[in-house]
Amino acid sequence: MQSRSPIWRSASNAFRSVTQPRPRSGIQDATAPFRRRLSSHAKPRPQVIFSGIQPTGIPHLGNYLGALQRWVQLQNDASPETTLIYSLVDLHAITVRQDPRQLRQWKKESLAMLLAIGLDPNRSIIFHQSDVPAHAELMWILSCQASTGYLGRMTQWKDKTANERENSEKLKLGLFSYPVLQAADVLLHQTTHVPVGHDQAQHLEFARELASGFNHVYREDIFTYPETMISPAKRVMSLTDPSVKMSKSHSNPKSRILLTDDKQTIEQKIKQAMTDSLGPVTYDPQSRAGVSNLLDIVLHCDAGQTYQTVDDIVSIGNRLSLKAFKEWVAERIEQTVRPICERYADIVGEQKQLDRIAEEGAERARASARPTLHRVKETVGLL
């Protein structure tokens, strides 16, 4: 997962700033005067942008258009004073049982892909979450203050556990408490801004509640309140069922386009994408979800270089048959994916270089985390 500042510059165009409500219930009333006192004396802090993605295989086009493309844009547009931190959150990945060999391979592939899309390890801190123990350590400290009632009301937790509630043996503690780890990820680095999708905004609200509660209990300005940055890219939907998001977990591989798919594979998947036979191309997500999804994909692949609105793309689609329109969409997607795929192929085999980048990123992340964790441990009496 806001007011714009001069530091933000043109990166403010990459995300729509959203001011989230302050933590509710008694915490809000108790901490409001304290927050006002802090804000009136505190010096402005340089911006810190943090985001993470699970290393669970090659990202698909929805991952790229919904998040990763924006990470690169933020990196390229942010002021030199802004710190950018991007994590491969492998501790989150093991909330679901993983094959150890597969997870190790996925971590390697995911790091190579972050480099292939354009993230620069000299500009951004890129690291594996498990290489920085402070994330798990802060998570435990915050867990001792997190409300189980609040966790139980979180929408995503309800969705993830809905199928397992009748068999409590299958429910694991990590699946319940992962929002606390997400909060620790953000708060540990004194993050000021978190780019997220709409479905993650509630997690940032929870992180702010934990920060507010901790600061209030100890009467210290320990944690920064992170602000939510909502991506302008709409959710990219499944090619085979445009009523649901594109996902790596979907049983049909034709439902998604991977960032390593070649031209022939992309053409075949788009050819078989669910659309309709209602005539000329129009944009109507409700009644023409499949066609509208393809229009959205082209718009976000273009990223404003040629087409400013979806109507610009509709005007082209109107001149084509549905078959020709799909061929044109496949071409636009392939132009986006091909350079990423080519760079990935060059990078993924360089194991020593990947190991070096991962270790250097982890060292920088450990340095970023160290002051906050030390202060937290002093505050609670562990030091």
Side-chain angles (χ1 to χ4, degrees):
M1 319 8 213
Q2 286 178 320
S3 59
R4 297 178 180 178
S5 71
I7 292 178
W8 197 238
R9 295 181 179 173
S10 58
S12 61
N13 297 324
F15 287 86
R16 178 171 58 84
S17 298
V18 176
T19 302
Q20 293 290 334
R22 289 297 183 188
R24 40 193 162 172
S25 73
I27 293 181
Q28 180 179 14
D29 295 334
T31 62
F34 181 57
R35 286 199 305 270
R36 286 195 295 269
R37 180 173 58 81
L38 289 174
S39 61
S40 64
H41 294 89
K43 295 180 180 179
R45 296 181 178 179
Q47 289 191 343
V48 179
I49 297 172
F50 179 97
S51 196
I53 187 171
Q54 291 191 31
T56 52
I58 299 297
H60 55 69
L61 191 62
N63 298 139
Y64 179 68
L65 298 179
L68 300 179
Q69 184 185 56
R70 305 304 176 189
W71 289 11
V72 178
Q73 189 172 358
L74 286 168
Q75 171 190 265
N76 296 341
D77 289 350
S79 135
E81 293 83 5
T82 299
T83 299
L84 300 113
I85 307 174
Y86 299 124
S87 178
L88 291 161
V89 288
D90 47 357
L91 294 177
H92 286 288
I94 63 172
T95 55
V96 176
R97 188 179 298 277
Q98 305 287 350
D99 175 82
R101 289 175 296 179
Q102 182 68 80
L103 181 57
R104 281 190 283 269
Q105 180 66 20
W106 280 345
K107 289 177 62 175
K108 171 187 171 182
E109 292 173 351
S110 298
L111 177 57
M113 186 56 75
L114 292 189
L115 301 175
I117 66 171
L119 288 184
D120 180 359
N122 295 313
R123 175 65 182 95
S124 300
I125 300 175
I126 308 170
F127 71 103
H128 296 295
Q129 181 189 33
S130 62
D131 286 341
V132 183
H135 283 259
E137 194 169 354
L138 181 59
M139 183 262 191
W140 176 251
I141 295 172
L142 294 178
S143 293
C144 295
Q145 298 193 60
S147 163
T148 57
Y150 193 108
L151 285 166
R153 293 192 300 271
M154 296 189 73
T155 303
Q156 282 209 338
W157 184 84
K158 290 180 180 178
D159 293 342
K160 288 187 176 185
T161 60
N163 296 328
E164 308 292 350
R165 288 174 187 166
E166 293 183 2
N167 188 349
S168 60
E169 292 297 321
K170 292 184 179 180
L171 283 175
K172 307 303 180 184
L173 176 60
L175 189 60
F176 181 78
S177 61
Y178 80 91
V180 185
L181 180 57
Q182 282 190 326
D185 294 337
V186 171
L187 299 178
L188 182 63
H189 298 280
Q190 299 296 338
T191 302
T192 61
H193 296 83
V194 183
V196 297
H198 287 276
D199 56 352
Q200 291 288 319
Q202 190 179 39
H203 289 83
L204 263 295
E205 184 181 342
F206 178 61
R208 282 187 291 273
E209 176 153 324
L210 283 179
S212 180
F214 191 96
N215 288 352
H216 171 65
V217 167
Y218 293 101
R219 310 300 295 178
E220 293 282 348
D221 182 19
I222 303 294
F223 292 121
T224 299
Y225 300 107
E227 297 185 32
T228 306
M229 303 164 63
I230 299 294
S231 168
K234 294 182 179 180
R235 296 187 302 173
V236 176
M237 311 308 284
S238 165
L239 298 177
T240 56
D241 180 5
S243 67
V244 299
K245 284 178 63 176
M246 186 177 287
S247 171
K248 284 178 283 190
S249 63
H250 197 285
S251 59
N252 187 352
K254 294 180 181 179
S255 68
R256 56 192 174 272
I257 290 174
L258 301 180
L259 296 185
T260 51
D261 281 348
D262 58 25
K263 180 178 181 180
Q264 183 178 1
T265 302
I266 293 172
E267 289 175 346
Q268 191 66 20
K269 289 181 178 179
I270 296 299
K271 180 180 180 181
Q272 298 180 20
M274 180 181 292
T275 50
D276 57 55
S277 55
L278 299 179
V281 170
T282 58
Y283 186 74
D284 186 346
Q286 296 301 318
S287 60
R288 306 193 71 183
V291 171
S292 298
N293 186 39
L294 297 183
L295 290 167
D296 277 331
I297 288 174
V298 172
L299 180 64
H300 297 310
C301 280
D302 180 73
Q305 297 182 37
T306 305
Y307 313 110
Q308 300 304 313
T309 68
V310 73
D311 290 336
D312 297 334
I313 305 170
V314 169
S315 65
I316 295 175
N318 279 333
R319 302 194 296 266
L320 303 172
S321 66
L322 182 58
K323 178 183 177 182
F325 172 67
K326 284 188 170 183
E327 291 173 349
W328 182 79
V329 169
E331 183 181 348
R332 303 279 82 71
I333 294 174
E334 197 269 338
Q335 288 176 356
T336 297
V337 171
R338 184 181 65 250
I340 296 174
C341 185
E342 291 174 350
R343 288 193 296 268
Y344 173 79
D346 291 337
I347 295 169
V348 73
E350 300 294 331
Q351 187 62 57
K352 289 185 178 179
Q353 181 181 0
L354 289 173
D355 290 343
R356 177 184 59 79
I357 290 172
E359 178 50 39
E360 290 178 355
E363 182 53 42
R364 292 172 67 193
R366 287 191 286 265
S368 171
R370 196 172 295 123
T372 298
L373 184 62
H374 187 273
R375 191 175 179 193
V376 166
K377 292 172 75 172
E378 277 190 326
T379 299
V380 301
L382 296 175
L383 290 177

